[in-house]
Amino acid sequence: MTSLPRGGLAVVIASSGAIGGALLSRLRSDGGFAQCIGFSRAAAPCIDLTSEASIAGAASHIAKFGTPLRVVINAAGFLHGDGFMPEKSWRQLDAAHMANAFAINTIGPALLMKHLLPLLPREGKAVFATLSAKVGSLGDNHLGGWYTYRASKAALNQLVRTAAIELKRRQPQAVCVALHPGTVASKLSEPFRKDGLHVLSPSEAADQLLQVIDKVEPADSGGFFDYRGEALPW
């Protein structure tokens, strides 16, 4: 990491997951931050994206450090589990599945923006990045299916775009972006990996994502980029 001011605070949400854990490890090994904090449901400090109270509590915990918050990365996401799998047809649409996915993929990140974007400093570069997914792109949807996951990530992208407009008025040097990490070897992608598909290790994905975070500038705020830094269609 080179373009971010040195000595600030870096935060990773969902640091107990494959990508989140790799991101936190990479940020700590970089040595350029005064403090690197990981939040998850599994350990303290605890954060649960389905609970605004826990998000507000995490924001209060971060504010107490008195160190400029330079990087926030939300690595949380829900694709399958709890008996739910991505839909192949509208016949499989289920209200409980949709509510759970939107709570984690859309509403939770929106509440992170509500409570953490105001903590970004007014001077110097700072980045709020949330992991989205290429399948959330309307322009790139040629296969159909995966209704809930696609819709929840598309909604997330709109929230990022909208928050970036407000952020520019308050903290013009700060950046708010949605990032597609590619297919990463994790529990989330495991049932859907197939021969010939390019799969990144968590550490490879973390390195790529941090390079993108390092390169984005205020003019990129509100954008949707993949792990190579290429802009994705909305």
Side-chain angles (χ1 to χ4, degrees):
M1 307 284 287
T2 56
S3 67
L4 288 159
R6 314 301 280 179
L9 183 65
V11 169
V12 177
I13 311 298
S15 60
S16 62
I19 301 178
L23 284 164
L24 183 62
S25 177
R26 177 68 178 81
L27 286 165
R28 285 175 171 167
S29 67
D30 173 76
F33 295 93
Q35 188 81 20
C36 299
I37 309 170
F39 289 89
S40 74
R41 291 184 299 175
C46 176
I47 195 166
D48 181 350
L49 291 189
T50 65
S51 166
E52 184 172 2
S54 79
I55 294 171
S60 295
H61 180 77
I62 292 167
K64 289 177 182 177
F65 280 85
T67 303
L69 179 59
R70 293 296 176 187
V71 176
V72 179
I73 309 173
N74 172 39
F78 177 82
L79 175 59
H80 62 87
D82 301 324
F84 299 120
M85 292 291 287
E87 310 92 342
K88 294 182 180 179
S89 166
W90 59 58
R91 293 186 298 274
Q92 297 170 316
L93 287 169
D94 178 271
H97 177 194
M98 297 182 78
N100 187 61
F102 271 81
I104 297 170
N105 294 342
T106 312
I107 299 170
L111 294 174
L112 287 175
M113 295 178 213
K114 173 183 176 180
H115 291 279
L116 298 185
L117 288 180
L119 300 182
L120 298 181
R122 291 186 178 274
E123 297 295 331
K125 180 181 174 180
V127 179
F128 179 101
T130 187
L131 296 194
S132 184
K134 189 177 180 181
V135 296
S137 165
L138 301 182
D140 191 64
N141 184 358
H142 306 293
L143 298 176
W146 289 34
Y147 285 82
T148 295
Y149 191 64
R150 287 183 186 278
S152 64
K153 292 297 189 177
L156 171 62
N157 292 347
Q158 180 68 279
L159 288 164
V160 166
R161 183 78 167 191
T162 304
I165 294 170
E166 182 175 358
L167 182 66
K168 185 176 181 179
R169 301 186 191 116
R170 297 167 52 93
Q171 293 123 301
Q173 293 176 285
V175 181
C176 181
V177 290
L179 300 179
H180 167 58
T183 301
V184 181
S186 66
K187 290 182 180 179
L188 184 144
S189 69
E190 186 173 3
F192 311 103
R193 284 179 245 154
K194 54 188 177 182
D195 292 341
L197 186 67
H198 180 56
V199 179
L200 299 168
S201 70
S203 60
E204 289 172 329
D207 283 342
Q208 296 269 41
L209 290 168
L210 290 173
Q211 287 178 34
V212 176
I213 289 170
D214 187 48
K215 292 177 182 177
V216 291
E217 299 295 339
D220 300 312
S221 193
F224 180 25
F225 303 96
D226 71 8
Y227 61 96
R228 295 163 297 193
E230 297 181 4
L232 293 171
W234 295 113

